Amino acid sequence: MKSQRDMEGEWMMNRNKATLQRIALQHFGLDQVVLTEDYQANAFKKELEYLNSYNVDRLLAGFRETRGLKPKAAKYPGWEETEIRGHTLGHYLSACAQAYSATKDPVMLKRLTYMANELSECQFESGYLSAFPEALIDNIEQKQPAWVPWYTMHKIIAGLISVYQATHSKVVFDTVVKLGDWVASRTSRWSDELQATVLAVEYGGMNDCLYELYKISGDSKHLEAAHKFDELPLFEATRQGKDVLRGKHANTTIPKFLGALNRFLVLGENERFYLEAAINFWDMVVNHHSYMTGGNSESEHFGEPKSLDQRRTDITCETCNSYNMLKLTRELFKLTGDRKYADFYETTYMNAILSSQNPETGMTMYFQPMATGYFKIYSSPFEHFWCCTGTGMESFTKLGDSIYFHKANELYINQYVSSTLDWSEQNVRLALSSGIPDSDCVTLQLETEDRQPRELKLHLRIPYWVRGEIEAHLNGEPLPLEVKDHYIVIDRKWNHGDMLALKLPMKVFYSGLPDNRYAVGFQYGPVVLSATLGTEDMIQASTGIMVSVPTRRMLVKDFIIPQGLSPQQWLDDIEQHLMKEDGKLVFRLRNTDEDERLVFTPHYKQHQERYGIYWNIVEADSEELKRHLALGRMERLVKEATIDSVQVGNDQYELQHEIQGQETFSGAWDGQNGRLAHPGGWFSYKLNIDPESENVLQVMYFCINYDRVMNIYADGVLLVREQSSWEWKRDFITKHYLIPAEIVKGKSQVEFRFAPEDKLSGIYGMLRTMRPVSHPIFSFPQ
């Protein structure tokens, strides 16, 4: 029986829901939109084939094992054999639920029902349900290293909620409510100090999924549990317009604001603080931290605001970030109707999400390098199970979810993607046929179920990329345009069979980066262009835990020199200097030193070669060109000298290097990730070394931690006692220590242990083992 508090809360939630339905735009069900554009239709088909190829007993094996039941099949390998096991099943549940919602396939429903019954059997009496033991949750609270157990719990809860929303299964409802009760019981015991300890480790969208759970349960316990995962200092900073994102893990941070927005959606105007925080966060990410594809982050982290050119590497733009930014963007658009959200959604959908799937295999990718000369790497079907494999499953089973929105008799058309819409609420069916980006023509045909006229108000987005005069014809006759808030508004009585034709002209344009206006990328309409650079030496390396990344061991020319023109003059007339071939989305340079080599095409269709999106436009013999070449040489020296490295404070990369420790914690300070230990505590990593060479350990410290002593041991031998200066200054310093030959002799790996003496101390950035480098910037001991 519900308590008075729960009944009051449910009444309040329903009232807020009714209010939002009156003022906000609504999305359509996945079964109401069918993609007819070949590329997207193939992407959806490939994802369905992939989902159906899974042996779900292998995904469930860890859950049965944790409950003490005999697994029915062996666990999948990769991440599914690590502490993060179970995260894939969470994504898989969400993806299958979306696939079922779109297709109503009885085979998919049978699969969902089977998994629901299995998970119910695997649930503990306490409500706990996971593929890993609850001891990992204990480790977080006790400041012991553990790989993001709350992140994985978010995926499981979110997956169960998705299945319930798609099937209304009582088994799923009971399971997820009971799991929510366990979370509520656990979090209710947190002190403020313990809460801060837990929230310092990646926890995904735990607040977001618990607000979703409260929507279906109405149980105040779940609401209170959601509040426990709200990071109020972060929300307050962004609400005040302070960009505090530097050094923060991007895919940890974005879901926090999804939760903040969901708090507003659940509780209404009294919680407007959270809406304002989410809006400001979105503006910061999009305007100060994103590339022209819509992607963000380098090495999974945000950098200094507007510092993008210097952070272009082989591990930029994690695809999970794009997935989560689109979720946030969609909800903000529904609340505001602001075109800027629709513009960003289209850009990221096409150039980050569609770009992330191999159209031949259906596999998706982790990083999308923004540095010129790298290539795309896709997951394998049943080996890796990266986080981006999971979000990829979800992205490609909901490709049509943000093309159309509605409110009463008003329809918003946000994306010009060939598709059909069953607007059952108005007994209307629409067929949208789009030539974009191959042509500038879009047609929309409307049919009414009873063949009777309908009073409808259509809002057709005017994209930011339109260059020239828009033309519209209704049934072949010119139609005067009414424009409001960057939408063409057509409010009329529509007849069965009406045909609307639009012309949305496109031209080539360029975008620079805020920290280097001459590092530019090119775009035509909504598509980012890239130039292919061949298939030479496409060797993969690894980073993190079983994550594959591309290498670039050869010299890649990533600059273009205009002939007879300054860079600005060349860019000012870009339409004459990057020419489109007739009838093709192929673009060739004019008046540069690369006219005969570089050919640009839509980046989302580029899957097999090295590529370049951004290019430095420089004058011959200029100081800019000299600096650019010098930076390139230095980067190459560091890469060539590095034997092994670990991103300090990044759980995945630390686990790959077998982190151990006591009284230790990680975080971000002044834009650098770090790991610290209390006096009496310590932490250690295992790094590869080269027994045939001199070896150097590179360590970064934060000078603000003055008058501290850090003892560094190499396989138990004291390597150095590093005492920081008494001088207080807010800066990072990198030091290099020669590792004695007797320590490395006959070994391929050394354990480095960091133990502060009498004050809290730590290290930051990238910890490396290197061969000595002869370069004035480096002070390697000889």
Side-chain angles (χ1 to χ4, degrees):
M1 184 174 179
K2 291 184 178 179
S3 67
Q4 180 68 26
R5 183 181 180 187
D6 286 341
M7 287 190 289
E8 290 174 356
E10 189 171 338
W11 177 84
M12 178 77 73
M13 182 171 60
N14 289 333
R15 188 191 70 172
N16 290 332
K17 183 177 180 181
T19 301
L20 285 171
Q21 285 178 337
R22 288 196 304 272
I23 65 173
L25 295 168
Q26 306 299 310
H27 62 264
F28 287 96
L30 290 172
D31 59 333
Q32 292 179 273
V33 180
V34 176
L35 297 167
T36 57
E37 202 282 328
D38 289 344
Y39 201 92
Q40 281 90 327
N42 174 72
F44 180 58
K45 175 176 175 287
K46 291 293 184 184
E47 197 60 53
L48 290 184
E49 291 173 355
Y50 181 46
L51 295 178
N52 283 312
S53 69
Y54 269 87
N55 178 346
V56 294
D57 282 325
R58 297 192 71 179
L59 288 175
L60 290 161
F63 291 84
R64 293 185 65 84
E65 185 177 79
T66 299
R67 187 64 177 94
L69 303 171
K70 183 179 179 180
K72 297 180 179 179
K75 287 194 292 284
Y76 279 117
W79 285 17
E80 284 302 305
E81 285 189 322
T82 69
E83 291 182 358
I84 203 174
R85 58 190 177 274
H87 84 105
T88 302
L89 180 68
H91 287 296
Y92 185 77
L93 288 169
S94 294
C96 288
Q98 290 172 175
Y100 173 69
S101 295
T103 64
K104 304 304 180 187
D105 180 2
V107 175
M108 188 62 75
L109 178 59
K110 183 178 179 181
R111 187 171 284 244
L112 288 169
T113 302
Y114 177 79
M115 289 188 287
N117 291 332
E118 285 287 306
L119 289 171
S120 177
E121 186 180 355
C122 293
Q123 190 164 35
F124 287 79
E125 289 302 316
S126 65
Y128 183 75
L129 174 66
S130 183
F132 58 80
E134 194 171 348
L136 291 187
I137 303 284
D138 298 333
N139 285 354
I140 295 296
E141 296 183 359
Q142 296 166 7
K143 299 181 181 179
Q144 303 294 317
W147 191 7
V148 296
W150 282 111
Y151 168 94
T152 304
M153 187 60 67
H154 160 236
K155 308 309 174 194
I156 296 167
I157 295 174
L160 288 167
I161 292 172
S162 295
V163 176
Y164 173 72
Q165 291 169 337
T167 66
H168 302 290
S169 161
K170 185 178 186 305
V171 171
V172 174
F173 179 84
D174 291 343
T175 301
V176 74
V177 165
K178 193 174 177 182
L179 181 52
D181 292 345
W182 171 82
V183 176
S185 175
R186 182 107 195 184
T187 57
S188 68
R189 302 193 295 269
W190 288 354
S191 64
D192 290 346
E193 181 183 0
L194 183 53
Q195 180 185 23
T197 296
V198 174
L199 298 194
V201 179
E202 184 175 5
Y203 55 86
M206 278 300 302
N207 54 351
D208 185 39
C209 71
L210 288 169
Y211 286 123
E212 282 297 311
L213 179 58
Y214 175 65
K215 289 178 186 178
I216 64 176
S217 74
D219 191 327
S220 59
K221 295 196 303 293
H222 301 150
L223 185 63
E224 293 301 320
H227 293 343
K228 291 288 189 178
F229 289 95
D230 282 332
E231 205 163 315
L232 300 185
L234 175 64
F235 298 160
E236 177 60 36
T238 57
R239 191 187 72 85
Q240 293 176 6
K242 299 176 182 177
D243 190 330
V244 295
L245 303 183
R246 182 178 64 171
K248 294 190 182 299
H249 188 274
N251 198 43
T252 301
T253 307
I254 302 168
K256 296 176 184 180
F257 286 90
L258 281 165
L261 183 59
N262 215 349
R263 179 166 179 159
F264 168 77
L265 294 173
V266 168
L267 299 176
E269 282 297 318
N270 290 338
E271 304 290 320
R272 193 169 185 83
F273 164 94
Y274 295 92
L275 171 62
E276 293 170 355
I279 288 173
N280 286 353
F281 171 76
W282 187 94
D283 286 337
M284 290 171 189
V285 173
V286 172
N287 297 324
H288 300 160
H289 296 275
S290 295
Y291 293 94
M292 66 187 300
T293 59
N296 64 66
S297 80
E298 193 273 331
S299 188
E300 304 187 358
H301 289 73
F302 292 121
E304 185 81 30
K306 297 187 177 182
S307 176
L308 293 168
D309 184 46
Q310 61 183 290
R311 292 174 60 83
R312 289 192 296 118
T313 68
D314 55 331
I315 47 175
T316 38
C317 298
E318 182 186 6
T319 306
C320 284
N321 300 344
S322 297
Y323 156 86
N324 275 314
M325 280 300 294
L326 288 190
K327 290 179 70 174
L328 181 62
T329 301
R330 181 175 188 255
E331 295 307 315
L332 289 174
F333 174 77
K334 287 163 62 178
L335 285 170
T336 67
D338 193 324
R339 184 195 71 165
K340 69 180 182 180
Y341 298 116
D343 281 342
F344 178 78
Y345 198 102
E346 177 189 54
T347 293
T348 309
Y349 171 97
M350 180 161 285
N351 300 297
I353 297 300
L354 283 187
S355 178
S356 72
Q357 188 201 57
N358 186 318
E360 297 175 3
T361 66
M363 296 297 97
T364 51
M365 66 185 187
Y366 200 126
F367 295 113
Q368 182 163 209
M370 291 294 107
T372 298
Y374 289 101
F375 52 94
K376 297 179 181 179
I377 292 179
Y378 303 94
S379 61
S380 60
F382 303 116
E383 291 178 4
H384 296 116
F385 298 101
W386 303 327
C387 51
C388 297
T389 305
T391 54
M393 294 179 195
E394 295 189 45
S395 290
F396 288 95
T397 48
K398 61 172 184 177
L399 288 171
D401 78 338
S402 295
I403 298 173
Y404 308 96
F405 297 91
H406 67 106
K407 180 174 66 174
N409 72 330
E410 297 183 56
L411 178 69
Y412 283 73
I413 301 175
N414 270 8
Q415 294 190 63
Y416 298 103
V417 176
S418 295
S419 53
T420 60
L421 169 66
D422 179 10
W423 192 3
S424 54
E425 296 83 353
Q426 295 293 332
N427 293 319
V428 165
R429 182 176 174 83
L430 293 95
L432 190 157
S433 179
S434 173
I436 297 192
D438 296 278
S439 77
D440 57 10
C441 297
V442 176
T443 61
L444 182 69
Q445 185 166 22
L446 181 145
E447 297 177 352
T448 60
E449 191 171 296
D450 55 9
R451 295 180 173 264
Q452 298 300 308
R454 291 286 188 281
E455 290 281 355
L456 303 173
K457 190 174 184 179
L458 269 55
H459 303 255
L460 297 105
R461 180 176 66 100
I462 300 175
Y464 70 96
W465 42 260
V466 165
R467 299 291 189 273
E469 186 175 347
I470 297 173
E471 298 177 11
H473 289 78
L474 182 63
N475 299 324
E477 297 296 324
L479 182 69
L481 298 182
E482 176 190 346
V483 176
K484 182 179 179 181
D485 298 329
H486 303 286
Y487 280 82
I488 299 167
V489 181
I490 307 175
D491 189 358
R492 69 186 301 274
K493 184 177 288 185
W494 293 82
N495 296 307
H496 176 80
D498 275 349
M499 177 77 77
L500 175 69
L502 288 179
K503 182 178 180 181
L504 301 172
M506 295 172 285
K507 293 181 181 178
V508 172
F509 61 99
Y510 73 91
S511 297
L513 292 171
D515 53 336
N516 182 358
R517 63 175 177 162
Y518 292 124
V520 303
F522 306 110
Q523 191 166 334
Y524 181 76
V527 297
V528 169
L529 304 174
S530 66
T532 55
L533 297 172
T535 58
E536 179 188 352
D537 195 34
M538 290 177 64
I539 302 299
Q540 300 183 16
S542 63
T543 189
I545 296 181
M546 294 171 275
V547 177
S548 300
V549 292
T551 62
R552 189 185 64 185
R553 299 185 294 185
M554 77 286 284
L555 180 65
V556 173
K557 181 176 179 290
D558 60 353
F559 56 91
I560 296 171
I561 301 175
Q563 304 295 291
L565 298 165
S566 71
Q568 193 59 57
Q569 288 172 327
W570 188 84
L571 290 170
D572 286 343
D573 200 14
I574 190 62
E575 293 171 47
Q576 300 304 313
H577 296 143
L578 188 60
M579 301 288 291
K580 181 178 180 294
E581 289 189 4
D582 288 342
K584 298 179 182 179
L585 286 179
V586 175
F587 301 80
R588 297 185 182 276
L589 293 168
R590 296 289 181 269
N591 300 316
T592 78
D593 65 329
E594 293 287 1
D595 288 0
E596 302 304 317
R597 185 173 75 103
L598 298 181
V599 178
F600 291 81
T601 56
H603 180 65
Y604 77 94
K605 291 186 176 180
Q606 202 291 101
H607 300 284
Q608 298 176 332
E609 296 189 41
R610 295 182 182 275
Y611 65 80
I613 292 177
Y614 283 98
W615 299 84
N616 284 278
I617 312 301
V618 294
E619 290 188 69
D621 300 323
S622 65
E623 290 302 314
E624 289 82 2
L625 178 57
K626 293 175 184 176
R627 280 196 298 271
H628 174 69
L629 293 173
L631 286 172
R633 283 193 294 270
M634 189 176 72
E635 176 191 342
R636 199 159 59 252
L637 278 173
V638 171
K639 283 200 170 188
E640 289 173 354
T642 297
I643 301 167
D644 199 3
S645 63
V646 56
Q647 295 175 30
V648 177
N650 189 323
D651 42 50
Q652 178 192 155
Y653 298 86
E654 290 183 323
L655 284 169
Q656 184 196 28
H657 291 83
E658 300 182 47
I659 182 173
Q660 301 290 325
Q662 296 287 339
E663 288 298 307
T664 178
F665 61 96
S666 63
W669 292 267
D670 268 31
Q672 290 285 356
N673 271 7
R675 177 164 289 281
L676 286 77
H678 294 281
W682 57 274
F683 56 91
S684 67
Y685 308 103
K686 291 182 179 178
L687 278 79
N688 295 332
I689 47 89
D690 181 357
E692 304 301 322
S693 166
E694 287 190 312
N695 289 259
V696 171
L697 183 69
Q698 175 183 291
V699 185
M700 179 185 286
Y701 302 96
F702 195 12
C703 293
I704 198 171
N705 296 328
Y706 63 95
D707 189 31
R708 310 287 173 94
V709 174
M710 176 66 81
N711 291 305
I712 306 177
Y713 298 87
D715 277 349
V717 177
L718 182 65
L719 179 65
V720 64
R721 182 180 183 270
E722 181 66 55
Q723 182 164 7
S724 59
S725 166
W726 276 90
E727 181 184 359
W728 186 99
K729 58 180 180 178
R730 202 175 191 91
D731 200 2
F732 291 93
I733 184 171
T734 299
K735 294 202 171 183
H736 305 90
Y737 309 109
L738 187 66
I739 306 169
E742 58 267 24
I743 291 179
V744 303
K745 185 177 180 180
K747 300 177 183 177
S748 61
Q749 193 176 71
V750 169
E751 181 180 64
F752 297 95
R753 180 169 172 149
F754 298 82
E757 281 193 4
D758 56 355
K759 293 181 181 178
L760 179 74
S761 188
I763 64 173
Y764 303 82
M766 191 75 76
L767 177 69
R768 300 177 190 269
T769 49
M770 308 176 68
R771 301 175 187 88
V773 173
S774 177
H775 191 283
I777 291 180
F778 300 96
S779 56
F780 290 95
Q782 298 298 318

